[in-house]
Amino acid sequence: MNLLIVKRLAALPIVAWVVASIVFIVLRIVPGNAADVLAQQATYQQKEQIVKALGLDKSLWEQYVLFLNGVAHLNPGYSFYSGDSVNKLMRYAMPVTIELAVAAVIVMVLLGVTTGMLAAAFRNTWIDAGARILATVFFSMPWFWLGILLIVIFGVELNLLPTFGRLPATVTYRPRTNFILIDAVLENRYDLILPWLKHLILPAVTVGLTTAGFVTRITRASFVETMFDDFVRTARMKGMRERRVFWRHIFRNAALPIVTIVGLQFGALLGGAVISEVVFSYPGVGRLMVNAIFQRDYPVVQGAALVIAFLYILVNTLTDISYLYLDPRLRRA
């Protein structure tokens, strides 16, 4: 088992290099560059100076080597516009995206697994049919459309929840870790928690609700299949209590594909977080990356893409490790 974990962790830098290379190439293929945006009304000589100052006069290979050298030293560079270090920008934005992704996972798991278990328990009834219909509807909803719909209903019509930002403009917040829960404890600022949760609900529900539909269908199928396995029948024949049969035999074995799907869906949640952050003006990595794309701010886009890829790879690696723990058969493979 330890060897398998080492193999999965060893693949992290290789996958990161592939992602970094793809992002670098795609950004250079897209027409236009940062100099075109910065020097819209500049003379030709001024534009040439900007190109040289940004290092865009170098060959593509030289830019690639410099980029990889910066990534290897954990220094992706500096923003073409603000001049801030990309590391500094990521340190501020990454906790915001992690908070949103974790909240979306909670929404996805609570709704998806609970609804799937109910559908399996009452299979071939109106509850099962209703759960499957809702799962299909939720899974079919585009993120941006659902986000706008929630803004209209809960922000405009009902005026129950805030629709943009992370905290109210009237709240003073000087981040230490930029994880609001942690900072609230460290600085004794528990007044931050409730406003933050109110701002977090709509973006998290927007991302988590659509993926919950897919988790519902997987959970139902997994539980229905496990409930009729021979080892479950044997446990019942031995007189084991139904609660123990469920938690010890059905739930643990049915959880294997669910854990895998939840881990894989984390990538979809990160993609949804990008859209949700833009729709709700949430100041995370996704919104930062989208703004940088429009500005052709190569270092920021590359840094943001690497952060999202790293989070995705890390979560999938942890999913693989948890799968090895849950399924002893894989440890002997």
Side-chain angles (χ1 to χ4, degrees):
M1 181 176 177
N2 291 334
L3 181 60
L4 290 172
I5 293 174
V6 169
K7 287 181 179 179
R8 281 161 172 75
L9 293 177
L12 283 174
I14 298 174
V15 177
W17 169 71
V18 172
V19 170
S21 300
I22 292 174
V23 171
F24 178 88
I25 293 170
V26 169
L27 283 175
R28 269 64 181 184
I29 291 176
V30 175
N33 56 45
D36 295 330
V37 180
L38 284 170
Q40 292 181 2
Q41 298 180 347
T43 63
Y44 178 79
Q45 288 78 11
Q46 291 172 330
K47 184 176 180 180
E48 288 295 313
Q49 291 175 354
I50 293 174
V51 169
K52 187 175 181 179
L54 297 178
L56 300 177
D57 59 327
K58 295 180 174 64
S59 67
L60 195 62
W61 174 251
E62 288 178 301
Q63 293 182 48
Y64 181 64
V65 171
L66 289 172
F67 166 62
L68 288 184
N69 182 62
V71 172
H73 290 85
L74 302 180
N75 181 22
Y78 296 84
S79 170
F80 288 163
Y81 287 81
S82 66
D84 291 328
S85 166
V86 174
N87 286 335
K88 178 183 176 182
L89 295 174
M90 293 303 119
R91 279 196 301 269
Y92 178 82
M94 188 167 65
V96 181
T97 298
I98 291 175
E99 287 176 347
L100 177 55
V102 170
V105 167
I106 293 172
V107 172
M108 177 183 71
V109 172
L110 286 179
L111 291 179
V113 174
T114 303
T115 308
M117 289 170 60
L118 283 174
F122 298 95
R123 61 191 178 282
N124 300 326
T125 65
W126 66 270
I127 296 177
D128 182 19
R132 284 188 285 174
I133 292 172
L134 283 176
T136 303
V137 170
F138 289 150
F139 186 62
S140 303
M141 288 182 179
W143 284 308
F144 68 90
W145 180 85
L146 179 58
I148 294 172
L149 180 65
L150 293 178
I151 288 174
V152 172
I153 295 175
F154 294 98
V156 178
E157 296 295 333
L158 300 178
N159 196 26
L160 292 177
L161 294 168
T163 58
F164 67 91
R166 190 186 184 201
L167 285 170
T170 56
V171 174
T172 303
Y173 172 53
R174 292 182 181 148
R176 290 176 63 180
T177 66
N178 210 26
F179 288 100
I180 287 184
L181 278 178
I182 297 176
D183 287 349
V185 174
L186 293 178
E187 300 180 3
N188 199 27
R189 289 287 311 275
Y190 297 102
D191 58 300
L192 295 173
I193 296 178
L194 184 58
W196 166 67
L197 287 175
K198 287 182 177 180
H199 281 76
L200 183 62
I201 289 174
L202 290 184
V205 170
T206 298
V207 181
L209 195 60
T210 52
T211 49
F214 184 63
V215 174
T216 295
R217 300 186 70 87
I218 297 297
T219 302
R220 179 193 179 277
S222 180
F223 270 85
V224 168
E225 181 181 354
T226 306
M227 286 165 64
F228 295 99
D229 279 340
D230 291 337
F231 61 86
V232 176
R233 292 195 188 99
T234 302
R236 288 194 174 110
M237 289 172 62
K238 289 181 177 180
M240 188 177 293
R241 287 181 298 178
E242 192 63 30
R243 179 180 297 180
R244 191 175 181 187
V245 171
F246 177 81
W247 290 110
R248 185 168 182 177
H249 295 283
I250 297 176
F251 184 83
R252 182 168 182 177
N253 286 277
L256 295 175
I258 299 171
V259 169
T260 303
I261 292 301
V262 169
L264 293 175
Q265 283 297 304
F266 188 82
L269 291 176
L270 289 174
V274 172
I275 298 173
S276 187
E277 286 173 5
V278 173
V279 171
F280 292 95
S281 297
Y282 213 71
V285 175
R287 184 166 176 245
L288 183 67
M289 183 171 67
V290 170
N291 292 338
I293 288 173
F294 286 117
Q295 296 173 336
R296 299 293 191 272
D297 197 345
Y298 295 159
V300 176
V301 177
Q302 291 163 174
L306 284 173
V307 166
I308 292 175
F310 173 77
L311 292 174
Y312 179 67
I313 295 166
L314 180 62
V315 169
N316 277 274
T317 302
L318 294 175
T319 302
D320 289 342
I321 294 172
S322 66
Y323 206 85
L324 292 173
Y325 171 76
L326 291 171
D327 192 348
R329 295 170 297 179
L330 296 178
R331 303 174 203 172
R332 299 187 292 269

